[in-house]
Amino acid sequence: MLLLATACALITAMLVGVVALWQRRAPGDGLQHAKALYAAFVSDVERREQSGEIDAELGHEERVEAARALLKAESEAAPSATARPRLAAGLIFGTAAVTFVVYLLFAGRPLIPDQPYKARLQAWTHAAQQNPDDVSPEVLAAVLRQGVVRNARDPVFWTFLARKDMLAGHAYLAAKEFERAESLAPAHFAEWSELGEALTFISGGKVGGDAKTAFDKALAMDPTDTRAHYYLGRMNLDAGRYDAARADFAAALAGLAPDDVRRTVVADQLKAVDIAEKAEAATKARIGGMVSGLAAQLKADPENADGWARLLRSYDVLGDTAARAKAEADMKAHYRDRPDIAQSILARAQGAVGAENTGGR
Amino acid sequence: MNISITEIGVFCLTAAFVLSAVQAGVVAAGQVKTMRGIERYAEGISLAAAIAIAASFIILIVAFIRSDFSVVNVYEHSHTDKPLLYKISGAWGSHEGSMLLWCTILLVYGALITLLGQGLPASLRHKALGVQGLLGAAFTGFTLFSSNPLGRLDPAPVQGLSLNPALQDPALAFHPPMLYLGYVGFSVVFSFAVAALIEGRLDRAWARWVRPWVLVAWSFLTVGITLGAFWAYYELGWGGWWAWDPVENASFMPWLAATAMLHSAIVMEKRDALKAWTVFLAILAFTFSMMGAFLVRSGLLTSVHAFAVDPQRGILLVSILFVTAGSGFALYGLRVPNLAPGGLFAPVSREASLVLNNLLLSAALTSVFLGTLYPLLMQAVFDRAMSVGAPYYLLVFGPIMVAGLAVAPISALMSWKRSDLKGVLQRLAIAFAVAALCAALGLLLYKGADFMAEAGYFVGLLTGFWLVFGSLRLVWERTRGGHPVRRFLGLPLATHGMLLAHIGLGVFVLGAVVESHAKLSLQEVMAVGDTAKLGAYELTFTGTYQAEGKNYDAQGGIFAITDASGHRVCEARPQRRFYPASNDVQSKVWLCFRPLSDLYVVMAQPQDKAGRAAWQIRFFYNPWVRLIFLGPVLMALGGVLSLCDRRLRVAVATRARALKPGPAAEEVA
Amino acid sequence: MKRLLLAFLLLAAPMAAYAGPAADEARAQKLFTEVRCVACQGQDIADSDAAIAGDMRREIRQAVAAGRSDADIRADLYRHYGDYVLFRPRFSGSNLLLWGVPPLIVIGGIAALLIMTRRRSETRAYALSEAEQKRLDDLTKNI
């Protein structure tokens, strides 16, 4: 604080010095200056006249303008501004005081020190060496990352770093580090389910193909791997394979100790399977009803291009190929003599489904 | 012992604010009789303010380089893994940082008025410094109190949030400084205009003093806009470079106003005419500059370029804009009727042709202005959503600009006061014939959709070639009759600058016309092994690769491009870069440079193609696109050449003489 | 002269390397640039990969193939989607200022200039009065 105040005072003094220095040497003022300007300008006009840049008339006009400017400067000339020490001193102290007040009251946070990353990293390293348990995973990961070059070929290091990154919420880095550990020592790599979890996090909680491979490998090594069972269960739940999901969650539950807090999470998922199954059945029934209603409507009044397109699209969504083929045949039969309309209906049914697929999931 | 450099930066920013206010204050006080003389201190104060704000700006950059996350702005826009260049450019990659950049440039320009303006009458210089001080106080005050770039955060987060990957690009690192050097340059022109209006003195000498400032600002703005267009071209991956987006228009409007002013100031200097108009343009140019920089942030315009700013600060900024511009125009309205009348001119003369140039530029400016603000107005007043896009500008802006450009070579050959139009046209006949021939040849190679497209193409080419060959005609006239090289080098630098700027404009027009008419594009989902055809070029997806950058992981595609005869033209390696820090994917365009044209490959969203991994591939052939970026560079160089002309350096020359009256002065006496 | 032409031909060579797309497609492409993609930020449908842009492209291609004129297609688009999708605003009463003012400035400005240059008034006096000359002489005596 004291140091900061001193530094600010020094800066203030320096700025005052700049003002004072400039005011002392500045030539540009007073009648003398105006006269010098006039003389220089007139000689420049002459130079330009001689070099043919301007003609005599323009030269004359410019000289008159310059003369008038000089006369104006004379009539306005200030009483050559003698230094007014008291006014100047008041101005300087006033300005400095306002600056300090504005800084302290509105702008500054003088008590917060600078915290450059390098210095903080050193402090963290020190803290981590003293007492690693008190350091947050994010900080620990940052500390460990200093050693990536030195430990480039050490799989244990990469696994450790990956775990910390996972805890710090850096799933992408964690996955990369697990993969690195695996590539360094494929035979000893046992963290497949953790890698799968990281990959799942990266894709926003969805178990993708790469994550599934990892989980399958984990189960091949250890059939009771709780984490792998849990995520595979979620994948099956999302895909609508409810029985498989149930089996996975049950297996996960079996692998957990009775007092493990994660039991409730898995149990919740198990309940979610039943709910999802019922909801899907209800939706299917409702869509089925709507579709059959639409089909009946089209039977009564087939002159409805929009309706046909929607019907075809609905069958596509339901995955009912047989019904779709029949509807298409009916539609084509109706528009027998207007193939362009039939074509456009097919195109629309196709396009909208494509759009839904990319837009939805 | 731990001293906070950041806090010193905040203190310096505070000092700059207070000093700017005092700078305006002493000039105002100096107008009172009893205080006369005190306004002289504005000079020294302007230097001190510039030093203070430059220090705070450097300290902000240091905070970015040191990744000091106890500074909110650094936390929000930086990351330890970012390459050094983007750590530095992150300093102006945010609203707060760019405000500080704006203020820094503003106060440094203020100091330059003091340093370079010693050849000016003292009262005009001091008044200009007063206005500049007011502007400085308004903007540094806004920055300090509502957008402090050095605001603190305690405890500091472990890691920063990183900068938007789209902004991590060399062209964009330098785009904002260049643009702001242009925008803010007009603040000096504005200050001089207001000072002259207060003084009631508006003569040729004034035109000569402001012209270098207009040239400096205009050249920087030209480069800034071009860098922005170039960034949009190769970073955004849509194959275009100018979308008539409100933000782009907002940067284009001050440029048009400044271009008009560059020409009207010449008339004012040579013929003592167009005074009121030139001053009007001076105020207008800065008004549009502020609009370009701030309307974007107010939330009134939506755009890809916009910084997100909360509405309160936006409204505050727009208020500063309106108060500044409003008082400028109000003073203008009060003072202009009292100005001494300007000189008159004949209908056929250099000055008349420059007036025509200004008229057409103003009409063009109006069309951009209307096109940008009309949708806003319709929305606000009638609650009707509408759009104005490229087709409108092609139909309205285009023809007006073509007319304006057609005048340029004629104007350059005319003489002042009274000219002979028939004679000038005869002198230009060959240049026109050559231009028409080239344009006709170009038309032969082009197959447009309809007559309108082909006519537009022909007229566009004709305009571009006309500008180039018409300017070359002037070179030929001035250099013939022995010693052409010596004569050429002996031309005044202002003439060199004018020629280069006009030729650059022609080059740009040629590029823009050919690119927009003859460009080819293709969009296809491709997997490895697929081939696509675009015009005479064939694109084959031969493989993929992985690459690792300092702060991103990239997946790249390898594409072989062959031409009609089966020759391999180049290998394109576009990338999709994943930035883990901001969890963002950025497509990196690959450009195959042909001499004047580009083959442009973008790898967009991955997609499934019948079970194979595939990507949306966009492939463009952009003919003559190089000229679009080369032209403005030539124009800016022209501006710099003009700036070096001796005529504009009278002020500097006088300073040496002012101290020691030389023989020239005695001659007069 | 010859050299210039040769240089031009060389510059133009890359352009000769392709043949233009079919006329219909070119017309459709031109129309694409006039239509705003409503799901994107300020893009036209020509360069957008949004689904809705694809739908609108297909719609316009069909209309072009059906032989409808540009004006008809624009009118259809306006009927279906309103003013917002048209990057080329309609010539209508509410857009009168938008389309009218710039040309009006050109025409009105040229007319005003012609009138102004016809009406000659006295030129400015570019001479110092005797009193002024005397003050100037006094001032510059001792420079």
Side-chain angles (χ1 to χ4, degrees):
Chain A
M1 182 69 187
L2 192 66
L3 207 58
L4 184 68
T6 319
C8 291
L10 273 175
I11 288 168
T12 313
M14 192 199 75
L15 293 177
V16 170
V18 167
V19 178
L21 268 180
W22 176 265
Q23 297 307 139
R24 271 187 55 168
R25 71 155 291 263
D29 209 345
L31 188 56
Q32 212 49 46
H33 176 66
K35 280 185 189 170
L37 277 186
Y38 172 76
F41 185 77
V42 169
S43 76
D44 186 64
V45 169
E46 262 155 27
R47 178 190 66 77
R48 287 190 289 147
E49 256 175 352
Q50 271 157 20
S51 74
E53 258 180 66
I54 52 174
D55 57 15
E57 192 189 338
L58 188 55
H60 171 66
E61 288 176 9
E62 295 217 10
R63 263 191 291 261
V64 171
E65 266 191 1
R68 289 221 167 93
L70 176 61
L71 293 177
K72 185 161 179 277
E74 188 222 4
S75 64
E76 283 179 356
S80 68
T82 42
R84 303 188 196 182
R86 278 174 59 191
L87 190 63
L91 202 61
I92 289 167
F93 280 108
T95 307
V98 171
T99 306
F100 273 89
V101 168
V102 170
Y103 170 76
L104 285 174
L105 292 188
F106 301 106
R109 305 281 298 276
L111 296 178
I112 303 180
D114 276 355
Q115 298 172 43
Y117 191 75
K118 222 171 165 181
R120 295 172 81 200
L121 201 53
Q122 277 166 11
W124 290 336
T125 312
H126 188 69
Q129 281 160 355
Q130 300 293 316
N131 201 347
D133 295 338
D134 280 357
V135 181
S136 75
E138 197 181 8
V139 167
L140 205 53
V143 170
L144 285 172
R145 191 150 285 121
Q146 296 173 93
V148 288
V149 176
R150 198 164 7 107
N151 299 307
R153 309 212 52 83
D154 177 5
V156 180
F157 168 80
W158 288 104
T159 314
F160 192 64
L161 179 57
R163 287 208 175 114
K164 292 301 160 204
D165 264 326
M166 196 65 201
L167 285 173
H170 303 148
Y172 181 81
L173 295 175
K176 251 175 75 174
E177 286 145 9
F178 276 127
E179 275 164 3
R180 178 106 187 218
E182 194 268 338
S183 72
L184 287 173
H188 301 289
F189 187 73
E191 287 78 16
W192 284 109
S193 71
E194 284 172 77
L195 170 61
E197 185 174 34
L199 292 170
T200 308
F201 271 50
I202 295 173
S203 50
K206 255 186 69 182
V207 180
D210 45 357
K212 184 180 182 313
T213 318
F215 289 131
D216 286 344
K217 282 186 181 159
L219 286 179
M221 287 174 78
D222 172 13
T224 64
D225 190 315
T226 314
R227 195 182 272 117
H229 277 304
Y230 172 74
Y231 281 105
L232 286 174
R234 286 214 353 214
M235 182 190 77
N236 285 327
L237 171 58
D238 283 347
R241 293 187 290 269
Y242 299 109
D243 294 332
R246 260 187 218 104
D248 281 325
F249 288 132
L253 219 44
L256 287 173
D259 57 342
D260 196 313
V261 285
R262 288 175 291 178
R263 286 190 81 91
T264 50
V265 179
V266 183
D268 282 350
Q269 289 288 338
L270 207 47
K271 273 180 226 147
V273 177
D274 296 336
I275 296 168
E277 194 170 21
K278 274 189 200 120
E280 195 193 273
T283 313
K284 258 206 172 130
R286 204 168 59 237
I287 294 180
M290 276 163 61
V291 170
S292 51
L294 184 58
Q297 212 182 322
L298 285 169
K299 199 154 202 172
D301 172 23
E303 193 54 47
N304 180 356
D306 229 41
W308 284 112
R310 269 192 294 139
L311 185 65
L312 292 175
R313 205 184 304 163
S314 309
Y315 283 137
D316 275 335
V317 172
L318 290 174
D320 193 342
T321 32
R324 190 194 191 280
K326 189 180 173 305
E328 191 177 329
D330 287 350
M331 184 273 288
K332 278 190 175 148
H334 176 72
Y335 289 106
R336 208 176 309 112
D337 40 352
R338 287 168 294 172
D340 49 331
I341 296 185
Q343 208 54 46
S344 84
I345 289 173
L346 283 179
R348 267 159 63 199
Q350 203 70 49
V353 168
E356 269 173 22
N357 281 349
T358 51
R361 282 291 162 104
Chain B
M1 282 317 273
N2 215 339
I3 183 163
S4 171
I5 299 177
T6 310
E7 287 304 311
I8 293 181
V10 181
F11 180 80
C12 286
L13 181 56
T14 315
F17 163 66
V18 178
L19 284 169
S20 292
V22 173
Q23 178 183 331
V26 293
V27 173
Q31 307 307 309
V32 181
K33 217 169 188 140
T34 53
M35 303 276 269
R36 193 173 277 177
I38 195 175
E39 74 268 20
R40 299 168 65 231
Y41 287 102
E43 297 192 6
I45 293 173
S46 72
L47 300 183
I51 292 172
I53 197 137
S56 72
F57 186 60
I58 290 169
I59 285 171
L60 177 67
I61 293 177
V62 168
F64 266 91
I65 293 176
R66 298 201 304 173
S67 295
D68 184 342
F69 298 127
S70 71
V71 178
V72 184
N73 196 25
V74 179
Y75 161 66
E76 282 173 352
H77 299 100
S78 198
H79 190 282
T80 49
D81 285 346
K82 218 164 50 161
L84 184 63
L85 176 65
Y86 305 132
K87 278 185 186 166
I88 296 174
S89 70
W92 51 81
S94 63
H95 160 73
E96 288 82 2
S98 65
M99 278 312 301
L100 184 57
L101 174 67
W102 173 282
C103 293
T104 307
I105 296 175
L106 185 70
L107 297 198
V108 168
Y109 271 127
L112 287 179
I113 297 182
T114 297
L115 291 175
L116 302 177
Q118 291 302 313
L120 268 52
S123 65
L124 182 77
R125 183 174 66 235
H126 292 149
K127 288 195 178 78
L129 278 173
V131 180
Q132 195 78 10
L134 268 182
L135 293 174
F139 286 115
T140 48
F142 173 82
T143 307
L144 183 64
F145 296 120
S146 84
S147 307
N148 187 355
L150 289 164
R152 305 301 294 280
L153 199 60
D154 197 37
V158 174
Q159 188 53 275
L161 299 177
S162 199
L163 186 68
N164 179 353
L167 306 183
Q168 296 188 28
D169 174 88
L172 207 71
F174 299 109
H175 163 68
M178 288 291 160
L179 201 63
Y180 280 17
L181 280 167
Y183 280 161
V184 184
F186 295 118
S187 72
V188 179
V189 180
F190 175 86
S191 295
F192 270 119
V194 171
L197 285 173
I198 296 173
E199 281 262 285
R201 181 179 170 200
L202 212 55
D203 52 16
R204 301 162 202 271
W206 181 85
R208 199 159 29 237
W209 293 320
V210 294
R211 198 174 143 76
W213 293 102
V214 184
L215 271 171
V216 167
W218 179 87
S219 301
F220 277 125
L221 191 58
T222 308
V223 173
I225 296 174
T226 310
L227 278 176
F230 189 56
W231 169 78
Y233 174 65
Y234 86 95
E235 189 68 34
L236 295 186
W238 58 292
W241 48 278
W242 189 264
W244 297 100
D245 170 290
V247 176
E248 293 167 347
N249 290 352
S251 70
F252 190 38
M253 286 192 276
W255 189 88
L256 284 171
T259 310
M261 189 183 169
L262 275 180
H263 292 90
S264 78
I266 303 177
V267 178
M268 183 166 167
E269 186 190 331
K270 295 274 186 187
R271 302 291 301 139
D272 200 23
L274 290 188
K275 291 187 207 179
W277 174 244
T278 306
V279 174
F280 177 78
L281 285 176
I283 301 174
L284 194 68
F286 188 54
T287 303
F288 278 137
S289 294
M290 288 190 292
M291 272 176 66
F294 302 134
L295 210 52
V296 180
R297 306 169 192 214
S298 66
L300 288 175
L301 296 179
T302 50
S303 155
V304 273
H305 303 254
F307 288 120
V309 164
D310 57 279
Q312 272 170 355
R313 288 194 295 183
I315 291 195
L316 200 55
L317 260 183
V318 172
S319 315
I320 297 180
L321 194 169
F322 277 117
V323 170
T324 309
S327 29
F329 283 119
L331 184 68
Y332 176 81
L334 277 175
R335 287 305 198 129
V336 155
N338 304 334
L339 287 179
L344 286 164
F345 45 81
V348 179
S349 58
R350 166 84 72 89
E351 52 267 41
S353 69
L354 287 175
V355 171
L356 185 60
N357 144 305
N358 261 253
L359 177 67
L360 292 165
L361 275 172
S362 338
L365 175 58
T366 310
S367 77
V368 178
F369 181 73
L370 282 174
T372 311
L373 293 187
Y374 213 74
L376 279 182
L377 220 70
M378 292 299 272
Q379 185 76 57
V381 181
F382 302 108
D383 196 24
R384 272 174 47 185
M386 69 170 293
S387 304
V388 177
Y392 166 79
Y393 297 102
L394 282 181
L395 282 170
V396 178
F397 177 85
I400 297 174
M401 243 7 222
V402 165
L405 298 179
V407 177
I410 303 175
S411 176
L413 277 182
M414 282 196 168
S415 48
W416 296 99
K417 290 177 190 169
R418 190 166 295 278
S419 186
D420 163 24
L421 183 62
K422 206 173 142 201
V424 169
L425 290 182
Q426 273 169 359
R427 279 150 73 196
L428 280 166
I430 295 179
F432 182 79
V434 174
L437 196 66
C438 292
L441 268 175
L443 189 61
L444 283 181
L445 301 171
Y446 172 69
K447 201 162 166 290
D450 51 13
F451 172 73
M452 279 310 287
E454 293 190 341
Y457 186 71
F458 178 75
V459 171
L461 283 186
L462 182 59
T463 312
F465 282 122
W466 166 242
L467 269 170
V468 174
F469 291 122
S471 302
L472 290 178
R473 164 79 202 191
L474 182 71
V475 177
W476 182 70
E477 273 187 16
R478 295 285 184 87
T479 54
R480 88 189 136 160
H483 302 296
V485 176
R486 207 160 72 200
R487 276 167 188 265
F488 180 71
L489 294 177
L491 287 177
L493 280 175
T495 309
H496 278 292
M498 182 261 282
L499 286 169
L500 197 57
H502 284 183
I503 289 175
L505 193 55
V507 166
F508 165 80
V509 169
L510 288 175
V513 168
V514 172
E515 193 270 351
S516 60
H517 281 80
K519 117 190 240 167
L520 297 175
S521 71
L522 169 139
Q523 232 186 94
E524 223 167 273
V525 178
M526 292 174 79
V528 174
D530 288 353
T531 292
K533 234 174 131 61
L534 177 72
Y537 293 102
E538 206 174 74
L539 181 78
T540 311
F541 194 170
T542 56
T544 60
Y545 67 99
Q546 306 282 332
E548 213 166 292
K550 195 166 184 312
N551 58 344
Y552 62 84
D553 290 330
Q555 178 164 43
I558 306 172
F559 298 84
I561 302 178
T562 52
D563 64 11
S565 52
H567 283 296
R568 185 187 175 98
V569 178
C570 77
E571 185 182 83
R573 301 170 74 90
Q575 294 183 342
R576 281 177 68 70
R577 292 182 177 173
F578 176 69
Y579 291 80
S582 48
N583 197 18
D584 223 339
V585 176
Q586 181 77 17
S587 286
K588 194 78 191 161
V589 174
W590 185 274
L591 292 181
C592 283
F593 291 102
R594 319 291 296 136
L596 292 180
S597 315
D598 279 336
L599 292 162
Y600 181 113
V601 186
V602 195
M603 208 165 145
Q605 279 85 353
Q607 244 173 31
D608 188 77
K609 187 180 183 185
R612 289 186 300 164
W615 287 265
Q616 283 245 9
I617 305 297
R618 271 175 265 159
F619 181 34
F620 296 86
Y621 170 61
N622 293 324
W624 286 26
V625 71
R626 194 85 54 256
L627 301 185
I628 294 172
F629 306 111
L630 179 70
V633 171
L634 293 179
M635 288 161 75
L637 277 178
V640 174
L641 275 184
S642 258
L643 197 60
C644 299
D645 191 280
R646 193 163 164 199
R647 183 164 51 95
L648 297 178
R649 284 185 305 174
V650 180
V652 182
T654 45
R655 195 156 50 155
R657 265 181 239 152
L659 298 170
K660 189 181 67 178
E666 270 147 34
E667 230 170 80
V668 183
Chain C
M1 209 40 239
K2 253 184 201 157
R3 220 184 269 169
L4 267 176
L5 269 178
L6 193 66
F8 172 74
L9 279 174
L10 283 175
L11 287 176
M15 287 170 57
Y18 73 88
D24 263 8
E25 179 58 20
R27 231 185 87 200
Q29 289 286 350
K30 195 173 139 248
L31 282 166
F32 294 165
T33 64
E34 294 186 8
V35 183
R36 184 185 203 124
C37 161
V38 283
C40 334
Q41 215 172 27
Q43 257 185 329
D44 60 36
I45 59 169
D47 339 286
S48 164
D49 25 279
I52 174 102
D55 285 345
M56 288 174 90
R57 280 198 293 264
R58 192 163 42 236
E59 213 171 282
I60 291 173
R61 280 207 180 93
Q62 278 167 5
V64 169
R68 297 180 63 85
S69 74
D70 287 1
D72 287 346
I73 295 174
R74 283 186 201 118
D76 286 350
L77 284 165
Y78 169 64
R79 259 201 307 283
H80 285 162
Y81 305 96
D83 273 318
Y84 188 64
V85 296
L86 298 181
F87 265 143
R88 171 185 163 152
R90 291 173 305 130
F91 298 101
S92 70
S94 60
N95 294 341
L96 195 65
L97 290 177
L98 181 65
W99 288 103
V101 169
L104 211 66
I105 289 180
V106 176
I107 296 166
I110 291 178
L113 280 179
L114 286 178
I115 293 170
M116 260 163 59
T117 49
R118 288 274 158 76
R119 206 181 50 198
R120 297 224 135 218
S121 59
E122 88 287 5
T123 44
R124 282 182 70 188
Y126 271 106
L128 294 172
S129 68
E130 258 176 49
E132 281 176 322
Q133 189 63 48
K134 192 169 173 306
R135 273 174 63 204
L136 181 68
D137 289 344
D138 286 348
L139 266 175
T140 49
K141 215 178 294 168
N142 50 358
I143 288 185

